[in-house]
Amino acid sequence: MLNIVLFGPPGAGKGTQADFLIKNYNLIHLSTGDILRSEIKEGTTLGLEAKKLMDNGLLVPDDVVIGMIKSQLEKNPTSNGFIFDGFPRTQKQAKELDKLLNQKSTSISVMLSLTVDDQELIKRLLKRGIDSGRADDQNENIITNRINEYNIKTTPLKDYYRLQNKLHEINGIGSVSEIANKLNQIIDNL
Ligand code: AMP
């Protein structure tokens, strides 16, 4: 199985690159942000609880997102592999993901980390807010909270995967196809 952690701050281009990767390598895309937004749309209790945090740019509790990933892994027992997008975001999530994959006799193959400076992220997110109507992309204070959450709680995960020789950092500024080619090269060389 090919299991990819697609990593990077909000606005780094993870969703865009995931679209290419799922097609090229026949993988299932698991974005915890997308799953949470669909829970909100459906008006579930989980969605309503998560919305309060998401609207402030704060992480939702670990157990909530771990439970979502667990059920998606169970729903797709015969997949070629998974792209984890926006997950894991904390040490606890990373450890639990390892356990869940271990139960399926598999593991994370690689972490692809897209790096983009904060100023560019803010610019991209504000533009996406206009294009998509996403509430958490429309307010600069919320965007700053999300980037802070990433810097404090999520960036340390690079060390978690670096210690396992799985971390690859890629400059996330450039054309979409240029970046996609770089990601393909890394995967093909695994
Ligand atoms: P995203 O679409 O990945 O930018 O996520 C949007 C929001 O959903 C985040 O700002 C968090 O509030 C929440 N979220 C998504 N994934 C996670 C996660 N793995 N852990 C905690 N919160 C998450």
Side-chain angles (χ1 to χ4, degrees), residues 7-10 59 89 116-118 121 143-158:
F7 195 75
L59 295 187
R89 264 173 151 106
V116 175
D117 62 84
D118 289 0
L121 292 175
I143 291 175
T144 305
N145 285 347
R146 288 160 67 201
I147 294 174
N148 286 342
E149 287 278 81
Y150 176 81
N151 287 334
I152 295 165
K153 296 178 183 162
T154 308
T155 314
L157 291 186
K158 283 192 199 178

Side-chain angles (χ1 to χ4, degrees), residues 54-132:
M54 291 167 76
D55 282 350
N56 287 300
L58 303 173
L59 295 187
V60 305
D62 286 334
D63 290 343
V64 172
V65 284
I66 291 163
M68 289 177 351
I69 290 291
K70 183 172 189 282
S71 86
Q72 290 298 323
L73 292 178
E74 282 164 3
K75 269 190 206 160
N76 297 287
T78 57
S79 163
N80 212 25
F82 297 90
I83 296 190
F84 298 96
D85 164 1
F87 181 92
R89 264 173 151 106
T90 63
Q91 288 271 353
K92 179 166 179 200
Q93 292 177 25
K95 286 188 180 153
E96 290 299 320
L97 177 60
D98 281 349
K99 278 191 209 162
L100 290 172
L101 292 176
N102 194 24
Q103 283 162 17
K104 288 171 74 80
S105 304
T106 185
S107 59
I108 291 298
S109 317
V110 65
M111 171 189 255
L112 301 173
S113 170
L114 298 169
T115 53
V116 175
D117 62 84
D118 289 0
Q119 251 185 335
E120 171 72 14
L121 292 175
I122 294 169
K123 201 174 86 187
R124 287 185 187 182
L125 291 170
L126 287 171
K127 182 174 182 304
R128 190 171 72 182
I130 296 168
D131 297 341
S132 73

